[in-house]
Each structure stands twice: as C-alpha cells, then as structure tokens.
C-alpha cells in the first residue's frame, strides 16, 4: 500500500460521511479527517477575520486502518477518482533573460514536465484526468509569436504519453498564457491556441461535461464530486477593457448558474491558476491573489451554493468543502479557512501547488510556506516580491538594490528533480480525499521494479 510510502507528510482533509451538525468542534475534527496522517507542520485552521487558529488535531502516526478504495475495472474510474495536477511548467521561464543561444532555452523545464507526465502514466489506478494548472508557456501572448508557438508545441509533445492513453487533459489559463492584463484579442487567441490540447469537446463526456458557451470555463461531475475549471485572470484586477469586463461578468454568472443546485455534492473542486486568497478572504490584493471585489463576489456565490442542503435534508448532512486547486506561486501552500459566524460551517480549502518546471523558494522557505507567509509575499507587487523574497534585496521606488542577483536567483529558482513535481489527489466514493505533493525524485523512488507501476492507496 502506498500509505506506508506516503509517510508522515500526507495532507488529509474531510470524511463527510462521518460529519454531523452537533457542534463546531465535531465539524472541524471531521474536516481534518479521520486518517491518522499529518504533514510535518500541520496547517492552521483559520476562523474568520480574527485570523486566530485552533491548535491542529493532526497527529503524525501511521494509519490504524486504511480506508477502502475500490477499483472496478469494468467501469471507467470505478469508485476511485485519481487527479494529477501539474502546475506552471512555464517553458522558458528559467532562461527568459539569458543571453545568446541560452535565451528562452527550456530544455530543463521540458525535461521535468515530460518526466512527470511519464510518472503519471505509471500510477495504478491510472489518472481519471490530468490538470495543467496554468502558465503552460512563458512567452507573453502579445510578444514573439514564433517563440510562443515553439513553447506550445513542446507542451503538446510532453503531454503525448498521457494523451496516447486517452486520459483527458484539463487546462486552466495562467497569466503567461493570457497576459497579466489580457485584451479581448488575447482571450480569443488562447481559445484557438489551446483548443486541441486542452479543450477537446469529447474529453470528459462520460462525466456530464459542459463548457461555458462563450468562454473557457468548464464543469463536470463524477459521483458526488463537482468539478469546475475557471479563468482566474479575469479576476486578477479590475480591468478597464469593456470586452474583458463582459467576459468576467459572463463567467461569474456561469459559476452562479452552474452551482445553483448542487444536490448531494460532497466536494466542490475548482481548478484555477491564481488562488483567490492565500490566508484570508480579506487579505490585501497583490501579484498572487484576486482583486478583492471579484474575490468576494465569487466566494459568496460558492458559499451560498455550499450552504444549501439537498431536499430532503439528510440527518448527517454538512456543507461540502469548497476546494481551490491552484498554481502560479511556484511553491506549495495549504490552508483550511472556515467562515466566521457560519451556521453551516462553510470551509474553503486552498491548495496552491508548486511548479512542474522552475520552482521558487520565497524568503527562507524551502518549497513550502504557511498561508500567512504566502499571503505576505502574494500581497506585494511582483517586482517587490522578487526583489525582497528571491534576491533578498532592498526595494524602493527606484527599484531593487541590487538590480541583478544571479547567485540568489540560481539558488532559489530551479527546475530539478528534487524540487519540481506534481500533486496527486485521490477521491473515493465515501467522500474521502487524500492528497500529496511529490517531487520527480520521490516518484522515481516509488516505481515498483516488478510492475513498473506506482501503486496508489487501495
């Protein structure tokens, strides 16, 4: 069993079947899960605007009894949903400012992403679908068209082992795919450029797949899990482009319609590039979270959806967690945030995944940050964050001192097998989910020599 291999660092979340409405304590304990695993540093559970955290109930022990995960070969996916997320391959990031032949060279990043995809094909059971969490390319869409095309072609190539197995690929657009401040033309180009790779209409037809009529947003359902993929770039800032504002409003209306009647959904899982927030919904807006106005509107829509019980209401019903699976930050962040004064105990789970390509060690971090640490970096302008938390320099209105920091950059930004990786999520029919970040080095060590497979919990 892979439980023994996951060791002490498996994140555990909810077992909705065991939750009830009798008390706040009961709800929080159920949210933390009934698996006896924990990360070395358990994530805080934040209670509203106070920012106060209850002492975590995670314990660092092997499981007394692994939960059942059923594998039915006769049904696609059986009772197990396996999701692989690769965030930010961002081909060309490492060498975008290099000189000569090295400029925009993405050999190392493509190698990491390609080997991770190969590892995904070895999972047993195989992935139900694979998610590219945005920033597939590094080249801005309104610059060097030939370079952008070269990067997109390389993404198609490294995905081939997965697509050859007919495993669906889901993509969510990143800021490098659309631009930090996309125009209507950028939105249109994205849909054309990534249609065949990411938006094949038949990819998830077994799961009630629907795409927003005029956008890139998508939804599908597997059992009692509701999945959405949305464009976070529309919520990054308050754009002045009327066409982009209209696209944003259409997506928000689509989210509202899609989640208006979720029935007995046990999880709402949203794939998007930039997280809505890191630590708290009222944190300051910066380069790595949404603008506060759109953030509050979309969160409110989902919180309303989660708070409505099915009819008739089951005795053991409690709201489904709203889980955000994101990228953009190039470092792992995990947070459980419970709304203050929430009768129905609405919870947002924020999972920010580090990079399949070039990872970034912000500040003193080593690939993982607490949500509080991440919010401090995410709330800055990107230039200031890079200066202070990568270069470790001094930021002022004149820029960064030092202006260049090649040594710090080379140490803190690397696409190497003991840093680059992917997230694996396993959902089962009982409403239980386990997740873990694996580096490429981790995954290689888990391949069984006799089968060539990586066995998942079962």
């Amino acid at each position: 069993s892979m439980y023994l291999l996951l060791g002490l660092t498996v994140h555990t979340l909810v077992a909705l079947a065991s939750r009830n409405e009798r008390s706040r304590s009961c709800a929080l304990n159920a949210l933390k899960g009934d698996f006896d695993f924990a990360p070395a540093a358990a994530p805080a559970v934040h209670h509203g605007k106070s920012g106060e955290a209850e002492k975590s109930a995670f314990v660092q022990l092997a499981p007394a009894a692994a939960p059942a995960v059923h594998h039915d070969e006769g049904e696609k996916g059986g009772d197990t949903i396996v999701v692989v997320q690769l965030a930010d391959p961002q081909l060309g990031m490492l060498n975008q400012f290099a000189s000569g032949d090295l400029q925009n060279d993405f050999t190392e990043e493509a190698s990491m992403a390609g080997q991770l995809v190969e590892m995904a094909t070895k999972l047993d059971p195989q992935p139900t679908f694979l998610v590219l969490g945005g920033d597939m390319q590094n080249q801005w869409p309104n610059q060097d068209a030939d370079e952008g095309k070269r990067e997109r072609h390389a993404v198609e190539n490294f995905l081939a082992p997965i697509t050859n197995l007919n495993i669906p690929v889901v993509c969510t657009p990143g800021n490098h795919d659309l631009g930090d401040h996309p125009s209507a033309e950028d939105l249109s180009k994205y849909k054309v450029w990534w249609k065949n790779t990411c938006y094949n209409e038949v990819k998830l037809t077994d799961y009630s797949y629907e795409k927003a009529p005029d956008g890139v947003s998508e939804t599908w359902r597997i059992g009692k899990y509701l999945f959405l993929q949305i464009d976070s770039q529309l919520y990054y800032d308050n754009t002045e482009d009327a066409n982009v504002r209209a696209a944003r409003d259409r997506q928000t209306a689509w989210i509202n319609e899609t989640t208006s009647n979720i029935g007995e959904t046990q999880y709402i899982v949203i794939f998007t590039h930039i997280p809505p927030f890191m630590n708290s919904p009222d944190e300051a807006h910066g380069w790595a979270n949404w603008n506060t106005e759109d953030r509050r509107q979309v969160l409110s829509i989902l919180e309303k959806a989660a708070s409505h019980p099915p009819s008739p209401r089951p005795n053991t019903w409690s709201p489904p967690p709203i889980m955000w699976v994101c990228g953009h930050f190039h470092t792992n962040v995990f947070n459980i945030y419970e709304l203050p004064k929430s009768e129905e105990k609405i919870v947002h789970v924020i999972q920010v995944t580090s990079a399949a390509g070039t990872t970034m060690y912000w500040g003193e971090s080593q690939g993982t940050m607490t949500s509080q640490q991440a919010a401090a970096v995410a709330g800055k302008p990107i230039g200031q964050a890079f200066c202070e938390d990568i270069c470790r320099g001094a930021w002022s209105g004149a820029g960064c001192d030092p202006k260049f920091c090649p040594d710090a950059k080379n140490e803190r930004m690397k696409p190497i097998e003991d840093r680059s990786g992917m997230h694996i999520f396993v959902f089962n029919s009982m409403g239980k989910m386990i997740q873990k970040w694996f580096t490429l080095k981790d995954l290689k060590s888990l391949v069984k020599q006799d089968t060539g497979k990586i066995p998942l919990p079962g």
Side-chain angles (χ1 to χ4, degrees):
S1 169
M2 197 171 179
Y3 279 101
L4 298 177
L5 297 171
L6 297 185
L8 302 178
T9 59
V10 176
H11 291 316
T12 64
L13 290 175
V14 315
L16 287 176
S18 68
R19 292 183 62 184
N20 61 47
E21 299 297 319
R22 288 179 296 180
S23 71
R24 178 185 187 86
S25 175
C26 183
L28 287 173
N29 287 340
L31 175 66
K32 293 167 187 173
D34 59 0
F35 309 125
D36 292 330
F37 286 102
V45 180
H46 300 287
H47 305 298
K49 295 183 179 179
S50 67
E52 296 177 358
E54 178 185 280
K55 184 177 179 181
S56 173
F58 283 86
V59 291
Q60 299 180 32
L61 300 171
V69 179
H70 304 289
H71 309 297
D72 182 355
E73 297 296 336
E75 178 183 353
K76 186 172 182 177
D79 293 330
T80 304
I81 305 166
V82 177
V83 180
V84 171
Q85 182 209 15
L86 274 69
D88 299 275
Q90 202 165 336
L91 303 186
M93 173 185 173
L94 183 68
N95 291 314
Q96 60 186 314
F97 301 119
S99 58
D101 293 341
L102 193 59
Q103 185 176 27
N104 294 325
D105 181 88
F106 52 71
T107 303
E108 295 171 80
E109 290 146 326
S111 174
M112 291 299 101
Q115 291 183 72
L116 288 165
V117 169
E118 285 284 355
M119 290 296 108
T121 68
K122 298 179 184 295
L123 298 180
D124 182 21
Q126 73 177 27
T128 310
F129 56 91
L130 180 144
V131 178
L132 280 182
D135 281 2
M136 286 77 79
Q137 65 183 61
N138 182 70
Q139 188 63 229
W140 299 107
N142 59 354
Q143 297 178 4
D144 197 334
D146 290 339
E147 175 58 28
K149 184 176 181 180
R150 187 173 76 99
E151 292 168 10
R152 291 189 294 275
H153 181 66
V155 173
E156 292 181 8
N157 287 342
F158 76 61
L159 285 173
I162 279 285
T163 56
N164 289 344
L165 293 175
N166 294 319
I167 294 171
V169 173
V170 173
C171 303
T172 192
N175 56 307
H176 280 262
D177 307 312
L178 287 172
D180 275 337
H181 309 285
S183 65
E185 182 182 5
D186 294 328
L187 298 179
S188 296
K189 284 179 178 178
Y190 176 85
K191 287 187 280 188
V192 173
W193 287 342
W194 293 101
K195 177 176 172 51
N196 292 335
T197 304
C198 303
Y199 297 96
N200 186 325
E201 296 288 351
V202 301
K203 65 182 179 182
L204 290 163
T205 51
D206 291 347
Y207 307 122
S208 303
Y209 172 80
E210 294 181 8
K211 185 167 71 172
D214 57 355
V216 299
S217 306
E218 306 164 288
T219 184
W220 59 101
R221 176 181 288 277
I222 307 178
K224 294 185 178 181
Y225 297 91
L226 177 64
F227 297 94
L228 290 87
Q229 180 279 119
I230 63 172
D231 178 2
S232 61
Q233 211 57 38
L234 297 176
Y235 304 128
Y236 174 65
D237 64 7
N238 288 308
T239 178
E240 296 180 359
D241 187 309
N243 291 317
V244 177
R245 286 203 308 270
R248 176 200 62 196
D249 293 344
R250 287 192 297 268
Q251 177 172 264
T252 302
W254 177 86
I255 294 170
N256 186 47
E257 180 182 358
T258 300
T259 60
S260 61
N261 183 13
I262 63 171
E264 297 185 17
T265 296
Q266 292 178 325
Y267 260 91
I268 303 171
V269 183
I270 304 110
F271 300 107
T272 198
H273 182 62
I274 301 176
F277 65 91
M278 292 286 189
N279 186 59
S280 171
D282 59 359
E283 71 192 26
H285 170 48
W287 75 275
N289 55 22
W290 297 4
N291 79 74
T292 55
E293 181 179 347
D294 289 322
R295 181 195 306 171
R296 188 65 264 164
Q297 183 179 13
V298 174
L299 294 184
S300 295
I301 289 170
L302 293 164
E303 290 157 10
K304 180 180 178 181
S307 68
H308 285 176
S311 181
R313 176 172 176 154
N315 292 333
T316 58
W317 180 85
S318 57
I322 304 164
M323 182 171 187
W324 299 88
V325 180
C326 311
H328 188 60
F329 201 57
H330 294 247
T331 282
N332 288 304
V333 183
F334 180 73
N335 183 22
I336 301 172
Y337 178 90
E338 183 184 16
L339 265 65
K341 301 177 182 178
S342 169
E343 285 188 17
E344 299 294 358
K345 305 174 181 67
I346 306 298
V347 170
H348 290 278
V349 180
I350 306 290
Q351 177 60 69
V352 179
T353 295
S354 188
T358 297
T359 59
M360 303 179 76
Y361 282 8
W362 301 98
E364 300 302 323
S365 70
Q366 298 292 308
T368 299
M369 300 181 82
T370 67
S371 59
Q372 296 95 329
Q373 292 169 335
V377 177
K380 300 175 183 180
I382 183 58
Q384 181 181 355
F386 191 88
C387 173
E388 294 177 345
D389 299 291
I390 296 295
C391 287
R392 308 301 280 163
W395 177 257
S396 69
C400 190
D401 181 18
K403 186 174 182 180
F404 302 105
C405 58
D407 292 340
K409 173 181 173 292
N410 291 341
E411 175 56 34
R412 296 176 181 277
M413 298 173 59
K414 292 184 178 181
I416 56 177
E417 68 174 39
D418 59 354
R419 293 191 187 182
S420 304
M422 67 189 191
H423 232 105
I424 300 176
F425 302 81
V426 180
F427 303 83
N428 77 5
S429 61
M430 299 301 294
K432 297 177 181 178
M433 186 274 288
I434 61 172
Q435 60 169 334
K436 189 181 188 302
W437 161 262
F438 293 88
T439 65
L440 177 58
K441 185 177 181 179
D442 293 335
L443 291 162
K444 287 181 175 180
S445 73
L446 297 176
V447 178
K448 295 291 187 182
Q449 295 302 312
D450 55 341
T451 64
K453 297 290 187 180
I454 301 174
L456 291 177

